[in-house]
Amino acid sequence: MTGSTAATFTADDYRARMERAARAAAEAGLAGLLVAPGPDLVWLTGYTPPAVTERLTLLVLTAGQDPVLVVPALEAPDAHRAAGAAALSLHDWTDGKDPYAATAALLDSSGRFGISDNAWALHLLALQQALPGSSYASLTEALPMLRAVKDAAELDLMAAAGAAADATFEEIRNVPFAGRRESEVAADLDRLLRGHGHKQVDFTIVASGPNGADPHHEAGERVIARGDMIVLDFGGLRDGYGSDTSRTVHVGEPTDEERRVHDIVREAQEAGFRAVRPGAACQDVDRAARRVIADAGYGEYFIHRTGHGIGVTTHEPPYMIEGEERPLVPGMCFSVEPGIYLPGRFGVRIEDIVTVTEEGGRRLNTTTRELVIVE
């Protein structure tokens, strides 16, 4: 995670988020939320510990009570400097003391709590030992939509991250491809993303020729050749918010089949985007995109969900997948990324980040979705 969001949001913003989270927990029948270091803690408080260690750091949120951040004494000065520090109380503990007993005193001894997915087992098991009558549910299970709806400031940061990824694509399409290794082009993507403001690059997929049939192929030592279709999928965090875009390019002129498959995926991506509107179910986006590919005879080669949420992490709820009936709400941000993957031959994927508006959807990636020819 980057710490740069601290300069963007105020203590009042973080206070509102913590209050909203505590209310949502109570409405879900939870006694409170326990938030360990990671994206949830950054989003709620603006605080990133200087290092994630075996020492307990935990935000305690319960409805009707002030938020408390349990923090090691040696890290308390850093916590005091966090943008959201004024909206919470710090409870520090020193080495040699029992932080779990101190935390247990803040909790309902028989309560059920939501806890960060990335909380260490060491800490959760110690809390259970201190409070044998308590129980726990992962935040993804208990409050999957906690961060899903972005406010206006967050949407501005998402749009800026998308624009940076777009600028990266506009530059990468002009670099040499033929005769270079996938890993070399991936390094170009990393460099360009960072040059356009990304502090964290999460992935730079360069999947050429038959490697394109592997949706999560990691760029390797294959030398790109003329005639290759290449799936480019890249993104990361800029000012604490995520980018993620995919475009498929071709080295030299494509065959009629390659162009046809690309056109089908482009039409599917457009259909998925057109399905975005308030009140529609997440699965409606998946169904719309998948129907185009299935009707064209390639249904068995679309082997993943149509999209995933994005925000302070590059993959988070909601998910655009069959069976997800959760309604779309203005402010949600997620990918629309159908693909066709022909084993041993080539793959095609086209991906934009989309946000739900009052009228429908808005793309946060605007580069061409036509098949781009590279050299």
Side-chain angles (χ1 to χ4, degrees):
M1 293 297 303
T2 72
S4 54
T5 53
T8 303
F9 301 106
T10 68
D12 287 340
D13 293 321
Y14 292 114
R15 179 179 291 107
R17 290 178 185 178
M18 288 188 281
E19 289 174 351
R20 189 173 88 196
R23 286 196 304 271
E27 291 167 1
L30 298 171
L33 299 182
L34 306 177
V35 185
D40 292 314
L41 185 65
V42 175
W43 184 76
L44 286 163
T45 69
Y47 176 54
T48 302
V52 179
T53 72
E54 73 283 356
R55 292 185 174 94
L56 179 70
T57 295
L58 200 67
L59 175 68
V60 178
L61 296 178
T62 52
Q65 298 185 32
D66 291 337
V68 177
L69 181 63
V70 178
V71 63
L74 76 168
E75 296 173 3
D78 295 290
H80 276 291
R81 288 191 289 269
L88 50 79
S89 300
L90 257 63
H91 187 139
D92 61 19
W93 61 275
T94 57
D95 286 352
K97 302 294 185 181
D98 184 352
Y100 307 106
T103 303
L106 304 170
L107 305 177
D108 179 348
S109 61
S110 60
R112 181 169 177 78
F113 297 91
I115 189 165
S116 301
D117 295 11
N118 57 334
W120 285 23
L122 169 73
H123 301 318
L124 177 57
L125 293 171
L127 281 174
Q128 288 179 316
Q129 186 173 14
L131 294 172
S134 64
S135 60
Y136 303 85
S138 75
L139 281 189
T140 294
E141 173 192 340
L143 294 177
M145 296 295 104
L146 180 63
R147 305 191 314 255
V149 178
K150 278 65 177 177
D151 62 25
E154 290 181 293
L155 289 174
D156 286 345
L157 291 169
M158 291 291 303
D166 283 355
T168 294
F169 177 71
E170 294 295 357
E171 292 192 52
I172 201 70
R173 62 185 287 182
N174 293 316
V175 308
F177 280 78
R180 302 177 70 209
R181 292 180 175 85
E182 292 175 340
S183 58
E184 293 176 294
V185 178
D188 286 341
L189 284 169
D190 187 290
R191 172 180 54 80
L192 290 169
L193 284 168
R194 294 182 191 279
H196 288 291
H198 282 63
K199 296 295 188 294
Q200 177 176 314
V201 176
D202 288 344
F203 43 87
T204 52
I205 293 173
V206 179
S208 63
N211 290 338
D214 176 1
H216 281 173
H217 171 71
E218 291 197 11
E221 296 308 298
R222 183 181 187 274
V223 176
I224 298 168
R226 292 194 66 80
D228 279 349
M229 191 83 93
I230 309 171
V231 177
L232 303 174
D233 184 348
F234 49 93
L237 298 182
R238 182 186 186 278
D239 290 334
Y241 281 77
S243 70
D244 185 1
T245 189
S246 300
R247 293 292 186 263
T248 302
V249 302
H250 196 277
V251 186
E253 285 300 316
T255 66
D256 289 345
E257 181 191 21
E258 288 170 331
R259 194 174 289 281
R260 182 174 67 254
V261 170
H262 189 278
D263 285 346
I264 292 166
V265 174
R266 180 171 52 80
E267 291 168 12
Q269 207 270 348
E270 178 68 19
F273 170 69
R274 294 296 178 192
V276 176
R277 63 185 183 280
C282 292
Q283 68 180 5
D284 293 341
V285 179
D286 183 83
R287 287 175 173 177
R290 199 169 298 277
R291 186 178 303 115
V292 172
I293 292 174
D295 288 350
Y298 289 91
E300 66 183 293
Y301 302 111
F302 180 12
I303 56 177
H304 56 72
R305 65 196 176 204
T306 293
H308 58 82
I310 186 171
V312 296
T313 58
T314 48
H315 281 209
E316 61 187 41
Y319 298 103
M320 307 301 114
I321 190 170
E322 180 66 31
E324 178 52 85
E325 298 179 350
R326 193 179 310 278
L328 301 180
V329 175
M332 283 182 174
C333 296
F334 48 84
S335 65
V336 179
E337 51 176 308
I340 292 175
Y341 308 94
L342 303 178
R345 302 184 62 208
F346 65 90
V348 176
R349 181 164 65 255
I350 301 172
E351 174 185 16
D352 294 326
I353 299 303
V354 172
T355 185
V356 184
T357 68
E358 296 292 344
E359 296 77 28
R362 175 168 69 97
R363 297 182 194 269
L364 300 186
N365 296 107
T366 59
T367 56
T368 182
R369 286 168 288 280
E370 301 291 335
L371 182 58
V372 169
I373 307 302
V374 297
E375 295 299 327

